[in-house]
């Protein structure tokens, strides 16, 4: 059967990871601009100050996107490029940059998909308590309104907040991402609730002010546990474990998606967190559970039950991994959409999926990233099987369009379809980029 004729093929990126120009044209500082500077937080003390210099080279990049054949491009907006202090005075040069970027994409025949927040939280708002401040949902709503009024005449697809699991889990539970803190459950619960309220307020704001009918969603991570066999019992066990909070806590699917799609926190949360758990008002949950048009999820790897003395249940001796040590298991691209659709009932968009490797230009001037091609083929083929089994799959966005700043890992780990030489900032389409073009042109049929 394959994918539908209107299947979304594209690639994704994030502002802090590619734009650079961190202090140009009136932009304010984000928590990544500030907190990444302390030695030991990012490998080799690297920062996103310059990154890929997309801010100055976006026309060159978009020309390469067109050459690859991208139909859609998911970008994120830098909050502090629009509102340098997070609220208050608007930076018109920031709005102009994104307006010009959208125009360039449309001129190239590429549909923009806008993410409002991809981790680069305003530093001035962080100083006021950040997500722990109960005013934070209103701050996000103010920012959303400005962006929607400026861009919604040309932007139809809107994504509110990317991977809230990493905002809280990496930023405040493990201390591995900005602001590099380790805090208590109660704080993380309050911050989570405020992030969800910010999402809900943003959805209402988009629907109120958009200049054309919008398509709106939220973007959590969505990895699944894989059934040990095809029996009904094994599938049910994998489904139950995928949706449980016990192993993953703030990284779980249900902690973030149940409030959004089902209008309530998981029952498990009250068992796990006890008296730390909040009891939100009916009004709060109505805001959080604003109707969405589709379920956008980022899926890279399967989950496995941890074993301190052995491999996790999704691992084994010699298991394929990428350079971030993530297990390569394409079956997750079948089971995750299946479990998510069965629980939440919304069409699925794969908003991120990709392969990190150590790429280089060979003696012939090419980047022969055959493992990345194999990875994409495996995962997209598995996604196609989900589609064939009746799961409504909207599309697939590869992460990422170009190599970029990979957060605390710095620049070594490369995900891009386009190679960036960080010394010269020159770009070269990788073999995976050329192959991805043929995949798009065939609507995935070359995998059959």
């Amino acid at each position: 059967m394959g994918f539908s004729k209107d299947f979304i093929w594209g690639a994704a990126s994030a502002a802090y990871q590619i734009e650079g120009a961190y202090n140009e044209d009136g932009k304010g500082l984000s928590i990544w601009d500030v907190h990444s500077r302390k030695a030991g937080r990012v490998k080799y003390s690297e920062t996103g100050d310059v990154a890929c210099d997309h801010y100055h080279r976006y026309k060159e990049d978009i020309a390469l996107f067109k050459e690859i054949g991208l139909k859609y491009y998911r970008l994120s907006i830098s909050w502090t490029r629009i509102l340098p202090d997070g609220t208050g005075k608007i930076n018109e040069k920031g709005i102009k940059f994104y307006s010009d970027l959208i125009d360039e994409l449309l001129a190239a025949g590429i549909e923009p998909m806008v993410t409002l927040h991809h981790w680069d939280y305003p530093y001035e708002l962080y100083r006021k308590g950040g997500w722990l401040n109960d005013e934070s949902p209103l701050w996000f709503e103010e920012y959303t309104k400005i962006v929607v009024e400026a861009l919604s005449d040309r932007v139809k697809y809107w994504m509110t907040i990317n991977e809230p699991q990493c905002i809280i889990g990496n930023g405040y539970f493990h201390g591995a991402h900005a602001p590099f803190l380790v805090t208590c459950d109660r704080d993380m619960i309050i911050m989570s609730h405020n992030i969800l309220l910010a999402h809900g307020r943003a959805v209402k704001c988009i629907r109120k002010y958009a200049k054309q009918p919008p398509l709106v969603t939220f973007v959590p991570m969505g990895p699944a546990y894989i059934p040990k066999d095809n029996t009904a019992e094994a599938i049910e066990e994998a489904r139950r474990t995928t949706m449980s909070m016990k192993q993953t806590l703030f990284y779980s699917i249900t902690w973030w998606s149940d409030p959004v799609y089902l209008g309530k926190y998981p029952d498990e949360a009250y068992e796990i967190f006890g008296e730390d758990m909040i009891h939100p008002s009916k009004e709060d949950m109505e805001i959080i559970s604003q109707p969405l048009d589709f379920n956008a999820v980022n899926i890279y790897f399967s989950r496995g039950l941890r074993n301190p003395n052995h491999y996790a249940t999704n691992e084994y001796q010699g298991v394929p991994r990428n350079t971030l040590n993530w297990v390569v298991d394409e079956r997750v691209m079948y089971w995750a959409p299946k479990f998510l659709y069965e629980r939440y009932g919304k069409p699925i968009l794969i908003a991120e999926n990709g392969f990190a490797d150590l790429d280089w230009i060979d003696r012939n001037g090419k980047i022969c990233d055959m493992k990345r091609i194999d990875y994409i083929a495996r995962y997209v083929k598995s996604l196609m099987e989900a589609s064939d089994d009746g799961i409504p799959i909207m599309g697939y966005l590869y992460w990422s369009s170009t190599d970029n700043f990979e957060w605390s890992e710095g620049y070594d780990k490369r995900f891009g379809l386009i190679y960036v030489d960080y010394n010269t900032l020159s770009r070269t389409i990788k073999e995976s980029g050329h192959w991805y073009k043929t995949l798009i042109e065939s609507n995935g049929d070359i995998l059959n």
Side-chain angles (χ1 to χ4, degrees):
M1 292 172 59
F3 296 126
S4 64
K5 291 182 179 179
D6 59 353
F7 191 79
I8 290 170
W9 291 103
S13 72
Y16 185 77
Q17 293 179 269
I18 65 169
E19 284 181 3
Y22 82 102
N23 62 353
E24 291 187 38
D25 291 338
K27 180 185 174 296
L29 297 175
S30 76
I31 56 173
W32 274 95
D33 291 319
V34 175
H35 289 282
S36 63
R37 297 187 181 284
K38 183 175 174 62
R41 286 178 169 172
V42 177
K43 287 187 177 180
Y44 313 114
S45 299
E46 293 171 326
T47 71
D49 289 2
V50 176
C52 307
D53 197 31
H54 179 72
Y55 186 77
H56 298 111
R57 297 168 182 259
Y58 71 90
K59 290 185 178 181
E60 176 185 356
D61 288 339
I62 291 170
L64 293 173
F65 299 166
K66 183 177 181 179
E67 187 174 344
I68 288 173
L70 299 186
K71 303 299 183 184
Y72 291 77
Y73 175 59
R74 179 186 169 207
L75 64 132
S76 80
I77 306 291
S78 169
W79 188 339
T80 56
R81 208 177 284 287
I82 304 299
L83 291 165
D85 296 323
T87 62
K89 185 179 179 181
I90 299 171
N91 178 29
E92 295 296 339
K93 289 184 178 179
I95 290 176
K96 184 178 187 305
F97 167 71
Y98 290 110
S99 182
D100 291 347
L101 174 60
I102 297 300
D103 285 346
E104 193 75 14
L105 286 166
L106 292 172
I110 301 170
E111 183 86 14
M113 309 176 92
V114 167
T115 303
L116 289 166
H117 183 56
H118 195 131
W119 307 359
D120 49 346
Y121 195 80
Y123 179 68
E124 291 304 317
L125 297 185
Y126 166 80
R127 292 181 62 210
K128 296 178 180 179
W131 292 119
L132 201 56
N133 188 318
D134 289 341
E135 296 295 307
S136 57
L138 298 175
W139 300 337
F140 191 67
E141 182 180 19
E142 175 190 348
Y143 157 64
T144 298
K145 181 175 182 288
I146 294 165
V147 176
V148 170
E149 288 184 328
L151 303 179
S152 64
D153 58 330
R154 291 155 290 161
V155 174
K156 179 168 62 176
Y157 291 89
W158 296 90
M159 304 179 189
T160 56
I161 297 172
N162 182 77
E163 290 187 350
Q165 290 103 323
C166 293
I167 293 173
I168 296 300
N170 289 357
Y172 297 90
F173 183 70
H174 289 299
H177 283 178
F180 301 95
L181 298 177
V182 176
T183 188
C184 64
D185 286 351
R186 180 72 177 178
D187 281 359
M188 288 186 284
I189 290 166
I190 292 169
M191 286 188 284
S192 296
H193 189 65
N194 283 333
I195 288 172
L196 288 166
L197 282 170
H199 155 76
R201 286 187 172 276
V203 174
K204 292 183 71 175
C205 183
I206 293 165
R207 297 208 188 280
K208 181 176 180 180
Y209 293 104
K211 297 173 183 177
Q212 60 178 310
L215 294 168
V216 190
T217 194
F218 186 51
V219 194
M221 297 163 54
Y225 291 81
I226 307 300
K228 62 183 178 181
D229 55 46
N230 287 325
T231 63
E233 293 79 9
I235 293 170
E236 179 55 34
E237 175 65 14
R239 179 187 292 107
R240 184 194 63 78
T241 309
T242 295
M243 297 302 171
S244 174
M245 288 185 62
K246 289 181 179 176
Q247 284 258 332
T248 52
L249 298 177
F250 297 102
Y251 289 94
S252 71
I253 291 170
T254 51
W255 175 250
W256 296 101
S257 293
D258 275 17
V260 167
Y261 293 105
L262 305 182
K264 66 184 187 69
Y265 283 101
D267 293 339
E268 271 188 327
Y270 295 89
E271 301 169 12
I272 292 168
F273 297 125
E275 63 183 20
D276 281 334
M277 185 58 193
I278 60 172
H279 295 271
S281 67
K282 179 182 177 181
E283 291 75 18
D284 275 5
M285 297 315 296
E286 286 176 351
I287 292 171
I288 289 168
S289 59
Q290 292 296 304
L292 299 182
D293 297 294
F294 58 100
N295 188 350
V297 290
N298 299 343
I299 301 173
Y300 292 89
F301 48 78
S302 59
R303 288 255 186 237
L305 297 175
R306 296 186 295 274
N307 183 333
N309 300 312
H310 198 61
Y311 293 106
T313 54
N314 66 329
E315 300 175 340
Y316 53 87
Q317 189 170 352
V319 68
R321 302 178 189 272
N322 70 8
T323 52
L324 288 169
N325 210 36
W326 299 349
V327 170
V328 174
D329 185 350
E330 66 270 21
R331 294 175 299 170
V332 71
M333 203 62 99
Y334 175 88
W335 291 107
K338 179 178 175 64
F339 293 158
L340 289 166
Y341 180 67
E342 289 171 346
R343 188 174 184 92
Y344 302 120
K346 292 290 183 182
I348 304 294
L349 173 72
I350 304 304
E352 289 183 24
N353 169 255
F355 185 79
D357 207 355
L358 304 175
D359 304 318
W360 61 84
I361 301 176
D362 69 17
R363 292 175 297 169
N364 298 312
K366 295 182 178 181
I367 301 96
C368 297
D369 53 335
M370 297 300 112
K371 285 191 288 185
R372 182 169 292 108
I373 293 173
D374 187 63
Y375 175 96
I376 298 171
R378 288 171 180 268
Y379 276 65
V380 172
K381 178 66 173 174
S382 193
L383 186 66
M384 189 179 293
E385 291 169 2
S387 178
D388 289 344
D389 280 358
I391 308 302
I393 306 296
M394 288 176 58
Y396 173 88
L397 304 178
Y398 179 78
W399 180 272
S400 58
S401 51
T402 63
D403 293 334
N404 55 46
F405 177 81
E406 188 49 41
W407 307 110
S408 57
E409 290 291 330
Y411 291 94
D412 271 355
K413 311 300 193 297
R414 296 175 179 267
F415 275 97
L417 298 170
I418 299 168
Y419 180 90
V420 177
D421 183 324
Y422 295 116
N423 293 309
T424 65
L425 295 174
S426 64
R427 276 86 156 130
T428 307
I429 297 175
K430 301 178 187 179
E431 291 305 296
S432 60
H434 295 298
W435 178 84
Y436 194 50
K437 180 177 183 177
T438 66
L439 181 68
I440 293 171
E441 289 173 343
S442 77
N443 200 36
D445 289 346
I446 62 171
L447 301 177
N448 290 323

